[in-house]
Amino acid sequence: MESFLDSNASAGNRSRPGENADIVCYNMDSNYFATDGFLGWYIANCVFNILLAMAATVENLLILIAIWRTSTLHTPSYVLLFCLVLSDLGVGLVAQPLVVIYSVAKIRGIISMACGFGVAVALLGTYLCSVSLFTITAVSIDRYLALYLHLRYKQLVTNKRVMTLLVCTWLVLALVIVTWLWYPSLSFIAGVALGLCCITITTFCFCRVYVVLRHHHLQIRSQQPNSLKEVTNDEPLTSKKYRQSVMGMFMVYILLLLCYIPYLCISSVILVQGITTTNRLIFELLRTILYANSALNPFIYCWRLRDIRAALIQHLPCV
């Protein structure tokens, strides 16, 4: 099998997703499993994934425990954050170990094992990252609604409705991801379209929130101290906690874009030009950067969200 891969996976041998040439399993051809002179890169990528997996698992598990044990954090906003942390935990606990096993099998030339774990990585990794993107979008909409609904926000946005939305999202995304096994190109195009919609909606919501908060900040600066106190008591959008939550989640969104965009770019290149051993290596390296997002998010939560930091200190003294 190794000689078969070596003879068919040269840099000039391109194959497009979904084509039947040299198919090894499902829609994956020989270029998925050939190292072709990049052995050192694959070994380094394995080591990096192991380190990131341990960091993401421990960090996100601590955040989940802190939110679960703190009753004051059982609000719609933190239910969304809990879902985001849960998907990040899944990346560190399941997706990245699968990547390591897949890479080791590929390095050792155990194609049957690499095939099975390669499919698992493609499905589960893409699924968890998609959940993260959709959850960030839901967070931005939640912050937008909190700003514009004011007192009606607590009546309309409840924990039950948010959890129902999240469950439906997880189920729908699972159905979309599974289609990759038979229609990879269609699945990728649908994924890119949905991803762009999420990015557009999230950007719009955060920009609108920023514009309103900026306008309100300039407005209250021109008022007298007594008037400022009165406005602060009446307007929830002047709450320091609200502004901190918006800024914290906006930073999570920017970090997500920095990690996701390179991965989406190389995926688009592969869709248009076909798969080679070179762009497959770049794809796997950028996928590791994508997964690094799960290990970096908890630092932003602790840095920018005071409630999370206080909950960690209160319930996890070892932190």
Side-chain angles (χ1 to χ4, degrees):
M1 180 63 75
E2 288 185 74
S3 60
F4 167 78
L5 293 176
D6 292 338
S7 63
N8 287 282
S10 62
N13 185 18
R14 300 175 183 272
S15 59
R16 297 182 184 277
E19 291 184 350
N20 294 324
D22 298 330
I23 292 297
V24 177
C25 64
Y26 290 99
N27 55 60
M28 298 185 292
D29 59 34
S30 56
N31 288 317
Y32 277 87
F33 307 106
T35 56
D36 199 32
F38 299 118
L39 185 61
W41 284 99
Y42 279 104
I43 294 175
N45 193 47
C46 279
V47 174
F48 197 42
N49 270 288
I50 292 173
L51 297 176
L52 286 174
M54 292 189 295
T57 300
V58 173
E59 294 165 6
N60 287 288
L61 187 59
L62 292 176
I63 299 292
L64 285 178
I65 294 173
I67 296 176
W68 184 269
R69 291 183 176 179
T70 307
S71 58
T72 57
L73 298 184
H74 297 172
T75 63
S77 298
Y78 280 102
V79 169
L80 291 171
L81 182 62
F82 188 91
C83 178
L84 180 60
V85 177
L86 187 62
S87 63
D88 286 340
L89 176 64
V91 170
L93 190 61
V94 182
Q96 287 185 287
L98 290 177
V99 169
V100 173
I101 298 173
Y102 159 73
S103 299
V104 170
K106 185 159 77 169
I107 291 171
R108 297 295 299 274
I110 310 175
I111 303 305
S112 58
M113 180 183 293
C115 178
F117 282 97
V119 172
V121 168
L123 293 178
L124 189 59
T126 305
Y127 177 62
L128 291 172
C129 292
S130 300
V131 168
S132 296
L133 181 59
F134 273 77
T135 306
I136 285 288
T137 304
V139 168
S140 68
I141 295 174
D142 172 74
R143 295 296 80 198
Y144 179 84
L145 293 177
L147 180 66
Y148 280 90
L149 293 179
H150 297 292
L151 298 178
R152 296 179 58 206
Y153 169 79
K154 291 184 178 181
Q155 297 175 351
L156 297 177
V157 182
T158 62
N159 286 346
K160 184 177 180 179
R161 290 177 178 176
V162 170
M163 286 188 287
T164 301
L165 173 65
L166 292 175
V167 170
C168 292
T169 300
W170 283 62
L171 292 176
V172 171
L173 286 176
L175 293 176
V176 173
I177 296 300
V178 168
T179 61
W180 174 85
L181 291 173
W182 299 277
Y183 307 102
S185 298
L186 178 62
S187 179
F188 176 77
I189 293 173
V192 170
L194 291 174
L196 290 176
C197 288
C198 287
I199 292 173
T200 302
I201 293 172
T202 306
T203 302
F204 170 79
C205 289
F206 277 126
C207 286
R208 287 298 303 161
V209 169
Y210 171 79
V211 169
V212 173
L213 289 179
R214 179 64 177 171
H215 174 73
H216 197 272
H217 176 69
L218 294 176
Q219 193 176 43
I220 62 178
R221 283 185 62 183
S222 63
Q223 297 176 352
Q224 297 296 326
N226 292 335
S227 299
L228 175 59
K229 181 178 180 181
E230 181 181 352
V231 173
T232 302
N233 291 332
D234 293 338
E235 296 290 341
L237 62 86
T238 62
S239 167
K240 185 177 181 180
K241 182 183 295 187
Y242 174 82
R243 295 198 302 271
Q244 287 179 338
S245 68
V246 170
M247 180 56 67
M249 298 314 299
F250 179 71
M251 293 181 67
V252 170
Y253 170 61
I254 294 299
L255 179 61
L256 181 142
L257 288 183
L258 293 176
C259 294
Y260 275 53
I261 288 178
Y263 173 82
L264 292 176
C265 289
I266 188 61
S267 298
S268 302
V269 169
I270 290 176
L271 183 67
V272 173
Q273 296 184 352
I275 301 172
T276 67
T277 52
T278 300
N279 61 31
R280 180 63 194 178
L281 171 66
I282 297 173
F283 174 88
E284 296 200 18
L285 294 177
L286 292 179
R287 182 175 60 192
T288 300
I289 294 177
L290 174 69
Y291 289 162
N293 177 256
S294 298
L296 296 175
N297 281 339
F299 290 101
I300 298 180
Y301 304 149
C302 296
W303 175 33
R304 300 300 307 184
L305 302 180
R306 180 184 300 177
D307 290 341
I308 293 294
R309 188 166 62 249
L312 283 171
I313 295 173
Q314 179 181 359
H315 295 286
L316 302 168
C318 60
V319 177

